[in-house]
Amino acid sequence: MHEIEPYYNWRHLYISEEDKLSPFFGRTYSEFEYSQTIYNYFIHPQWDEFGSKTLYLKIIYADYELHFCIIELIGEWNDAIENDIMMLKREVGDELMKQGLTKFIFIAENVLNFHSSDNEYYREWQEEVSEETGWITILNMPAATQQDFLRKRLQYYMELIDLPEWRSYKPYHLFKKIDTAMGLRLEE
């Protein structure tokens, strides 16, 4: 797991630790010192901690004019024990929404497990972004990880989308593709 880095091909366009509106503004990272772990496995030092013991993230792009951000996740999403959705919403989502972001793209291909609890924070977050014509999507969550997510019907709050070729898009084009798809789904 220590070799899995956050997606870095857009760093010439956006760096969260240099963005004054980012909850991670001013953070410094080591390329050589591995200190964060998911269970007993070290993870790459570029991942950001937000209060969860098992789930880390990286804001890989944010656009305040178009009101969207792209966030990559790694680890185990555990609402049953750690209440990760509460931490994700309160520590990251709420802070970004204060800056006007209402459209969230979470890339979850490195989320290895998902354990659900109730849907309270999912519903709250979805209602808050919907008031601003926003949405929340999860890209490329592995099929095995989706089972508990789907059983709890959380896809009504965070839309699951498979787009394995997302890296071939520039951030704006990825956003437009998803925004168009979400617009069509919301009209149904």
Side-chain angles (χ1 to χ4, degrees), residues 4 23 27 37-38 48 52 64 67 70 81 87 97 107 117 121 123 132 180:
I4 301 173
R27 287 211 179 165
T37 61
I38 298 173
D48 286 313
S52 171
Y64 298 98
H67 310 286
I70 303 170
I81 296 173
M87 297 300 296
M97 286 189 295
I107 299 168
S117 182
Y121 291 101
R123 186 172 6 103
E132 304 294 327
T180 300

Side-chain angles (χ1 to χ4, degrees), residues 45-64:
Q46 289 289 319
W47 293 102
D48 286 313
E49 181 274 329
F50 63 94
S52 171
K53 295 177 187 172
T54 59
L55 187 64
Y56 293 81
L57 63 81
K58 187 67 166 188
I59 301 173
I60 57 176
Y61 193 78
D63 186 313
Y64 298 98

Side-chain angles (χ1 to χ4, degrees), residues 111-157:
V111 175
L112 309 174
N113 287 308
F114 177 83
H115 303 287
S116 66
S117 182
D118 57 47
N119 66 6
E120 177 183 335
Y121 291 101
Y122 294 90
R123 186 172 6 103
E124 177 185 319
W125 198 351
Q126 193 271 337
E127 287 171 358
E128 289 174 7
V129 298
S130 292
E131 291 173 6
E132 304 294 327
T133 65
W135 41 255
I136 306 167
T137 63
I138 299 178
L139 247 55
N140 303 339
M141 182 180 271
T145 307
Q146 287 182 24
Q147 290 177 359
D148 198 22
F149 194 89
L150 293 169
R151 189 170 351 132
K152 285 296 220 173
R153 301 182 190 276
L154 299 175
Q155 72 274 18
Y156 295 118
Y157 309 108

Side-chain angles (χ1 to χ4, degrees), residues 67-176:
H67 310 286
F68 80 93
C69 64
I70 303 170
I71 301 172
E72 190 174 8
L73 302 168
I74 187 171
E76 176 185 72
W77 189 328
N78 192 333
D79 293 338
I81 296 173
E82 300 294 332
N83 208 356
D84 287 341
I85 186 61
M86 179 195 75
M87 297 300 296
L88 183 59
K89 181 183 183 309
R90 296 286 184 250
E91 300 299 323
V92 181
D94 287 352
E95 295 304 311
L96 294 171
M97 286 189 295
K98 287 178 189 173
Q99 305 305 325
L101 300 183
T102 59
K103 297 178 179 181
F104 294 85
I105 301 168
F106 289 101
I107 299 168
E109 59 199 12
N110 292 314
V111 175
L112 309 174
N113 287 308
F114 177 83
H115 303 287
S116 66
S117 182
D118 57 47
N119 66 6
E120 177 183 335
Y121 291 101
Y122 294 90
R123 186 172 6 103
E124 177 185 319
W125 198 351
Q126 193 271 337
E127 287 171 358
E128 289 174 7
V129 298
S130 292
E131 291 173 6
E132 304 294 327
T133 65
W135 41 255
I136 306 167
T137 63
I138 299 178
L139 247 55
N140 303 339
M141 182 180 271
T145 307
Q146 287 182 24
Q147 290 177 359
D148 198 22
F149 194 89
L150 293 169
R151 189 170 351 132
K152 285 296 220 173
R153 301 182 190 276
L154 299 175
Q155 72 274 18
Y156 295 118
Y157 309 108
M158 295 182 166
E159 184 80 27
L160 294 172
I161 297 175
D162 285 324
L163 190 64
E165 71 280 5
W166 70 269
R167 288 177 181 83
S168 65
Y169 293 94
K170 297 287 186 204
Y172 171 78
H173 297 106
L174 176 61
F175 164 70
K176 289 307 286 181

